[in-house]
């Protein structure tokens, strides 16, 4: 039905649709974030480092319209 199709197309709050495989823009953004964090020698743990890298990749995926 149309209601079911509309429901299946929605994305819950706090979620984003992203490509199954990262785009080139996402990979570049993730690598740049990784390098910047490493260069800053910030005292952050691996989880924070991974989070910053992921967020950069997610932002790049949204900028490309995916």
């Amino acid at each position: 039905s149309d209601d079911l199709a509309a429901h299946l197309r929605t994305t819950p709050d706090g979620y984003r649709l992203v490509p199954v495989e990262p785009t080139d823009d996402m990979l570049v953004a993730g690598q740049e974030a990784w390098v910047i964090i490493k260069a800053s020698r910030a005292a952050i743990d691996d989880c924070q480092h991974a989070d910053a890298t992921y967020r950069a990749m997610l932002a790049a995926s949204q900028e490309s319209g995916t």
Side-chain angles (χ1 to χ4, degrees):
S1 81
D2 287 337
D3 290 337
L4 178 59
H7 174 74
L8 293 175
R9 283 193 302 270
T10 62
T11 304
D13 287 341
Y15 285 77
R16 298 289 181 265
L17 294 176
V18 297
V20 172
E21 296 294 328
T23 64
D24 289 343
D25 289 343
M26 291 171 68
L27 293 171
V28 168
Q31 183 177 22
E32 287 175 352
W34 185 270
V35 169
I36 289 167
I37 292 166
K38 282 294 202 187
S40 73
R41 300 189 188 279
I44 64 172
D45 64 32
D46 288 342
C47 287
Q48 290 171 312
H49 199 160
D51 181 68
T53 302
Y54 175 77
R55 290 178 184 279
M57 294 178 74
L58 182 61
S61 77
Q62 299 305 299
E63 290 169 7
S64 66
T66 55

